[in-house]
Amino acid sequence: MSEKVFPSAKPATTAVPPAVNGGAPVSMNGSTANGGTTKSHLYNPTSRPPYRPQPYHRRHLPRRNYCCCCCFWTILIILILALLVAIAGSVFYVLYRPNRPSFTLASLRIHRLNLTTTADSSSSHLSTLFNLTISSKNPNSHLSFSYDPFVVSCVSSNSDVFIGNGTLPAFVSNSKNETTFKGVVVTTSIDLDAETVNNLRPDLKKKNGILLKVQMDTKVTVKMGGLKSKKVGIRVSCDGVKGVLPKGKSPSLANVSGAKCKVDLRIKIWRWTF
């Protein structure tokens, strides 16, 4: 009988290549000698990193820049409005040529101007009576003026001593119209203090007469077609009147040839009037 040779149960081992640079020995099938596996670190150019949405951060302007922007636009709007108002005013002036109304003191008669003082000079009394003729003229073609009642007062030009007051009725002055008031009474009967008497007495003793000033205060409304303005205060001042004390019962006629009347606006802000 022939003998059969059976292979050994222990598998043959292959030679393990030595380790490179002191590393672990690597087997022929790509595994390390101690049973671990190596990982591939090859770069894949077609692969992209996963998309990660970034959180949205809203940009806030600093407070200082915000205030500067507000100031800039506010100033710009104000300048534009001022320009528009100036343009509208220029167009209005060119089309309508508005002019102030004019007033004239036609005559002033002094019926009474007496200053009496008691014997002991303890008190003084002033009694006056004037008669005025006043005319008003509207030189505009498209404007009309509506006046409230006037408060007429008379004072001495040098010392500004109050001499008398009166009233002028309300009236409407239409375009290119002239209105005349005759018999406007200005009178007073008051007691004066010593200082006021000392200021007024030298004026009454002047040979060439006393210088008087007539003032008229009122409010006026301007109308142009269907448009109507708010009431505005005005003062009419007529200066340069020379009055002579009457002799007896006959009134004296004051010299009004040099009297000039000017119209000024009276703007009231709180307690002050300008």
Side-chain angles (χ1 to χ4, degrees):
M1 294 180 63
S2 62
E3 296 182 355
K4 294 181 179 181
V5 179
F6 296 94
S8 174
K10 186 177 181 180
T13 60
T14 59
V16 178
V20 181
N21 296 332
V26 182
S27 63
M28 296 298 294
N29 57 2
S31 61
T32 58
N34 56 359
T37 59
T38 59
K39 295 183 179 180
S40 175
H41 296 282
L42 297 178
Y43 171 71
N44 187 2
T46 60
S47 64
R48 295 181 179 179
Y51 174 74
R52 297 178 181 178
Q54 299 294 329
Y56 175 73
H57 296 285
R58 187 176 179 180
R59 297 180 61 186
H60 295 278
L61 292 176
R63 182 181 295 272
R64 183 177 180 182
N65 293 342
Y66 181 78
C67 294
C68 291
C69 290
C70 289
C71 292
F72 172 76
W73 284 109
T74 302
I75 295 174
L76 182 62
I77 292 173
I78 292 175
L79 292 177
I80 293 175
L81 292 177
L83 180 62
L84 293 177
V85 171
I87 294 174
S90 301
V91 173
F92 176 80
Y93 180 80
V94 171
L95 293 178
Y96 297 101
R97 299 279 183 175
N99 294 304
R100 292 185 179 184
S102 61
F103 290 82
T104 304
L105 181 62
S107 67
L108 189 151
R109 294 179 181 272
I110 303 176
H111 292 267
R112 184 172 64 249
L113 180 54
N114 298 328
L115 178 62
T116 58
T117 306
T118 58
D120 56 356
S121 301
S122 59
S123 63
S124 299
H125 187 80
L126 177 65
S127 178
T128 61
L129 177 60
F130 300 155
N131 192 296
L132 286 67
T133 300
I134 301 171
S135 62
S136 172
K137 184 178 180 181
N138 182 5
N140 298 282
S141 301
H142 301 87
L143 302 178
S144 63
F145 300 98
S146 179
Y147 298 98
D148 287 355
F150 286 76
V151 176
V152 184
S153 59
C154 186
V155 298
S156 62
S157 296
N158 294 332
S159 54
D160 286 336
V161 176
F162 173 79
I163 296 178
N165 63 356
T167 59
L168 194 68
F171 67 97
V172 177
S173 180
N174 294 318
S175 58
K176 296 295 183 178
N177 186 28
E178 185 174 357
T179 307
T180 302
F181 295 91
K182 296 181 179 180
V184 180
V185 178
V186 175
T187 183
T188 189
S189 179
I190 57 175
D191 293 328
L192 303 179
D193 55 24
E195 183 179 358
T196 305
V197 172
N198 293 333
N199 293 331
L200 181 60
R201 194 180 297 278
D203 294 337
L204 297 177
K205 292 181 178 181
K206 290 181 179 180
K207 294 182 180 181
N208 56 355
I210 180 175
L211 293 178
L212 302 175
K213 179 169 60 177
V214 178
Q215 294 179 344
M216 297 179 288
D217 295 303
T218 187
K219 290 185 178 181
V220 61
T221 302
V222 183
K223 294 182 180 180
M224 183 187 64
L227 299 179
K228 181 179 179 181
S229 69
K230 293 184 179 181
K231 290 184 178 181
V232 180
I234 62 170
R235 166 171 286 184
V236 182
S237 301
C238 301
D239 202 354
V241 180
K242 293 182 179 181
V244 181
L245 297 180
K247 296 180 180 180
K249 296 182 179 180
S250 300
S252 63
L253 184 62
N255 184 4
V256 296
S257 59
K260 296 181 180 179
C261 299
K262 62 178 182 178
V263 182
D264 297 322
L265 293 176
R266 300 285 287 175
I267 301 174
K268 187 174 182 180
I269 300 177
W270 197 28
R271 298 181 180 179
W272 297 276
T273 303
F274 303 93

mmCIF file with all atom_site columns, all heavy atoms in Angstrom, residues 12 97 166 199 227 230 234-235:
data_model
loop_
_atom_site.group_PDB
_atom_site.id
_atom_site.type_symbol
_atom_site.label_atom_id
_atom_site.label_alt_id
_atom_site.label_comp_id
_atom_site.label_asym_id
_atom_site.label_entity_id
_atom_site.label_seq_id
_atom_site.pdbx_PDB_ins_code
_atom_site.Cartn_x
_atom_site.Cartn_y
_atom_site.Cartn_z
_atom_site.occupancy
_atom_site.B_iso_or_equiv
_atom_site.pdbx_formal_charge
_atom_site.auth_seq_id
_atom_site.auth_comp_id
_atom_site.auth_asym_id
_atom_site.auth_atom_id
_atom_site.pdbx_PDB_model_num
ATOM 1  N N   . ALA A 1 12  ? 0.483   28.093  5.075   1.00 0.00 ? 12  ALA A N   1
ATOM 2  C CA  . ALA A 1 12  ? 1.822   28.661  4.875   1.00 0.00 ? 12  ALA A CA  1
ATOM 3  C C   . ALA A 1 12  ? 1.770   30.168  5.018   1.00 0.00 ? 12  ALA A C   1
ATOM 4  O O   . ALA A 1 12  ? 0.863   30.830  4.574   1.00 0.00 ? 12  ALA A O   1
ATOM 5  C CB  . ALA A 1 12  ? 2.337   28.285  3.486   1.00 0.00 ? 12  ALA A CB  1
ATOM 6  N N   . ARG A 1 97  ? -49.200 144.256 -8.282  1.00 0.00 ? 97  ARG A N   1
ATOM 7  C CA  . ARG A 1 97  ? -48.543 145.468 -7.806  1.00 0.00 ? 97  ARG A CA  1
ATOM 8  C C   . ARG A 1 97  ? -49.212 146.036 -6.552  1.00 0.00 ? 97  ARG A C   1
ATOM 9  O O   . ARG A 1 97  ? -49.747 147.150 -6.552  1.00 0.00 ? 97  ARG A O   1
ATOM 10 C CB  . ARG A 1 97  ? -48.557 146.526 -8.903  1.00 0.00 ? 97  ARG A CB  1
ATOM 11 C CG  . ARG A 1 97  ? -47.833 146.133 -10.163 1.00 0.00 ? 97  ARG A CG  1
ATOM 12 C CD  . ARG A 1 97  ? -46.349 146.329 -10.021 1.00 0.00 ? 97  ARG A CD  1
ATOM 13 N NE  . ARG A 1 97  ? -45.634 146.015 -11.246 1.00 0.00 ? 97  ARG A NE  1
ATOM 14 C CZ  . ARG A 1 97  ? -44.325 146.192 -11.400 1.00 0.00 ? 97  ARG A CZ  1
ATOM 15 N NH1 . ARG A 1 97  ? -43.620 146.675 -10.390 1.00 0.00 ? 97  ARG A NH1 1
ATOM 16 N NH2 . ARG A 1 97  ? -43.732 145.874 -12.523 1.00 0.00 ? 97  ARG A NH2 1
ATOM 17 N N   . GLY A 1 166 ? -60.357 159.773 20.378  1.00 0.00 ? 166 GLY A N   1
ATOM 18 C CA  . GLY A 1 166 ? -61.659 159.669 19.745  1.00 0.00 ? 166 GLY A CA  1
ATOM 19 C C   . GLY A 1 166 ? -61.742 158.366 18.963  1.00 0.00 ? 166 GLY A C   1
ATOM 20 O O   . GLY A 1 166 ? -60.865 157.495 19.076  1.00 0.00 ? 166 GLY A O   1
ATOM 21 N N   . ASN A 1 199 ? -43.825 168.992 31.705  1.00 0.00 ? 199 ASN A N   1
ATOM 22 C CA  . ASN A 1 199 ? -43.441 168.693 30.326  1.00 0.00 ? 199 ASN A CA  1
ATOM 23 C C   . ASN A 1 199 ? -44.345 169.382 29.310  1.00 0.00 ? 199 ASN A C   1
ATOM 24 O O   . ASN A 1 199 ? -43.889 169.741 28.209  1.00 0.00 ? 199 ASN A O   1
ATOM 25 C CB  . ASN A 1 199 ? -43.484 167.180 30.087  1.00 0.00 ? 199 ASN A CB  1
ATOM 26 C CG  . ASN A 1 199 ? -42.423 166.433 30.865  1.00 0.00 ? 199 ASN A CG  1
ATOM 27 O OD1 . ASN A 1 199 ? -41.351 166.976 31.145  1.00 0.00 ? 199 ASN A OD1 1
ATOM 28 N ND2 . ASN A 1 199 ? -42.710 165.195 31.222  1.00 0.00 ? 199 ASN A ND2 1
ATOM 29 N N   . LEU A 1 227 ? -60.299 135.602 -2.301  1.00 0.00 ? 227 LEU A N   1
ATOM 30 C CA  . LEU A 1 227 ? -59.332 135.384 -1.232  1.00 0.00 ? 227 LEU A CA  1
ATOM 31 C C   . LEU A 1 227 ? -59.465 136.472 -0.178  1.00 0.00 ? 227 LEU A C   1
ATOM 32 O O   . LEU A 1 227 ? -59.746 137.638 -0.492  1.00 0.00 ? 227 LEU A O   1
ATOM 33 C CB  . LEU A 1 227 ? -57.910 135.373 -1.798  1.00 0.00 ? 227 LEU A CB  1
ATOM 34 C CG  . LEU A 1 227 ? -57.604 134.291 -2.836  1.00 0.00 ? 227 LEU A CG  1
ATOM 35 C CD1 . LEU A 1 227 ? -56.166 134.425 -3.327  1.00 0.00 ? 227 LEU A CD1 1
ATOM 36 C CD2 . LEU A 1 227 ? -57.841 132.895 -2.262  1.00 0.00 ? 227 LEU A CD2 1
ATOM 37 N N   . LYS A 1 230 ? -56.149 137.283 6.944   1.00 0.00 ? 230 LYS A N   1
ATOM 38 C CA  . LYS A 1 230 ? -56.481 137.458 8.350   1.00 0.00 ? 230 LYS A CA  1
ATOM 39 C C   . LYS A 1 230 ? -56.302 138.928 8.740   1.00 0.00 ? 230 LYS A C   1
ATOM 40 O O   . LYS A 1 230 ? -55.652 139.691 8.049   1.00 0.00 ? 230 LYS A O   1
ATOM 41 C CB  . LYS A 1 230 ? -55.595 136.570 9.223   1.00 0.00 ? 230 LYS A CB  1
ATOM 42 C CG  . LYS A 1 230 ? -55.843 135.089 9.034   1.00 0.00 ? 230 LYS A CG  1
ATOM 43 C CD  . LYS A 1 230 ? -54.995 134.277 9.993   1.00 0.00 ? 230 LYS A CD  1
ATOM 44 C CE  . LYS A 1 230 ? -55.269 132.786 9.831   1.00 0.00 ? 230 LYS A CE  1
ATOM 45 N NZ  . LYS A 1 230 ? -54.450 131.970 10.780  1.00 0.00 ? 230 LYS A NZ  1
ATOM 46 N N   . ILE A 1 234 ? -52.563 147.712 12.246  1.00 0.00 ? 234 ILE A N   1
ATOM 47 C CA  . ILE A 1 234 ? -51.797 148.782 11.617  1.00 0.00 ? 234 ILE A CA  1
ATOM 48 C C   . ILE A 1 234 ? -51.901 150.025 12.499  1.00 0.00 ? 234 ILE A C   1
ATOM 49 O O   . ILE A 1 234 ? -52.830 150.180 13.291  1.00 0.00 ? 234 ILE A O   1
ATOM 50 C CB  . ILE A 1 234 ? -52.293 149.114 10.192  1.00 0.00 ? 234 ILE A CB  1
ATOM 51 C CG1 . ILE A 1 234 ? -53.744 149.609 10.232  1.00 0.00 ? 234 ILE A CG1 1
ATOM 52 C CG2 . ILE A 1 234 ? -52.139 147.939 9.272   1.00 0.00 ? 234 ILE A CG2 1
ATOM 53 C CD1 . ILE A 1 234 ? -54.226 150.171 8.902   1.00 0.00 ? 234 ILE A CD1 1
ATOM 54 N N   . ARG A 1 235 ? -50.917 150.886 12.355  1.00 0.00 ? 235 ARG A N   1
ATOM 55 C CA  . ARG A 1 235 ? -50.918 152.192 13.027  1.00 0.00 ? 235 ARG A CA  1
ATOM 56 C C   . ARG A 1 235 ? -50.613 153.264 11.998  1.00 0.00 ? 235 ARG A C   1
ATOM 57 O O   . ARG A 1 235 ? -49.609 153.188 11.269  1.00 0.00 ? 235 ARG A O   1
ATOM 58 C CB  . ARG A 1 235 ? -49.904 152.246 14.156  1.00 0.00 ? 235 ARG A CB  1
ATOM 59 C CG  . ARG A 1 235 ? -49.633 153.660 14.667  1.00 0.00 ? 235 ARG A CG  1
ATOM 60 C CD  . ARG A 1 235 ? -48.813 153.697 15.918  1.00 0.00 ? 235 ARG A CD  1
ATOM 61 N NE  . ARG A 1 235 ? -49.605 153.286 17.082  1.00 0.00 ? 235 ARG A NE  1
ATOM 62 C CZ  . ARG A 1 235 ? -49.147 153.308 18.337  1.00 0.00 ? 235 ARG A CZ  1
ATOM 63 N NH1 . ARG A 1 235 ? -47.893 153.696 18.575  1.00 0.00 ? 235 ARG A NH1 1
ATOM 64 N NH2 . ARG A 1 235 ? -49.915 152.937 19.329  1.00 0.00 ? 235 ARG A NH2 1
#
